[in-house]
Amino acid sequence: MKVKNPIPNENISDFVQNILVIENFQVTNPFVLPLYANGSPTLLFQTAKGEIKGNSNNLTLFGQTVFPETLTIKEDFTLIAYFFKPFALSTLFGFSAQELTDNPIDINLLEPSKTLELQEKLLNSNSINEMINLIDNYIFSLVNKIKADINLIKFATTEIVKNPDNEILKKVQNELHLTERTFQRMFKKNVGLSPNQYRRIGQFSSAFKQLQQKQFENLFDIAFDNGYSDQSHFTRSFKEFTNITPKDYLKFGNLSND
């Protein structure tokens, strides 16, 4: 299996955070990819249809993920995932991001005249670079249609990710000179989550990265570094977003490396 992380094209980098490419041409048992909360809506393409929540598509659009889910692919495949910045769904696709929270859909349901053609071209592509160029061009065509000013939500999401502690929401709200109600409504419409849900996902993502990279001496260090009240609080949050405890995750990782 090959894994790559191409750098997003400059033309779409205001909206695309990063890109993941996985190639697996030796699938003997079903390939299962865990999908955890990461704060990023995602456009996902696979050359072999992947199953999520009983639905099977080649081209899937995800909103925010809160509850853990899995993607299962039973054949050899190439997978390309475009992870959007948190405000991109509403901005690029023109509907409330909240509609897709924990509700991935076949993107062909949105604008079939364009997306069916995109899917057909992707399935007939001869290389990863050709596939990426096709997706880049599709996203760039959406960028060109944008008229709304998204500076407020860009600022809010960036500040929350940088420092996802309990005080950040009030600070951002005050800096934007918004009432709490207006801030909540704007955030839900553009991101698909409440500000506090998004903050908690940012907090979890930071802790999860630290756990993955094993940059700690014990779990209390991770809890303290990421603003959890104690180790139990961190464990509860981790289990909420992954369905397993941090200790179980570490055991699984050690087994995978054996």
Side-chain angles (χ1 to χ4, degrees), residues 36-40 64-65 161 164 198-212 222 226 228 234 237-238 241:
Y36 297 151
N38 62 6
S40 296
Q64 293 286 347
T65 296
V161 166
Y198 183 73
R199 180 197 67 77
R200 291 183 65 242
I201 287 174
Q203 185 181 34
F204 158 74
S205 295
S206 176
F208 185 57
K209 184 177 180 180
Q210 189 175 346
L211 189 76
Q212 279 185 310
I222 298 180
N226 292 281
Y228 290 101
F234 167 53
S237 177
F238 193 94
F241 291 120

Side-chain angles (χ1 to χ4, degrees), residues 215-226:
Q215 298 175 343
F216 62 95
E217 290 187 11
N218 54 58
L219 294 180
F220 174 80
D221 292 342
I222 298 180
F224 179 79
D225 291 345
N226 292 281

Side-chain angles (χ1 to χ4, degrees), residues 100-118:
L100 290 192
T101 298
D102 283 321
N103 184 33
I105 64 167
D106 184 342
I107 197 173
N108 293 316
L109 297 174
L110 294 179
E111 205 174 10
S113 60
K114 291 186 177 180
T115 52
L116 284 170
E117 181 182 358
L118 170 65

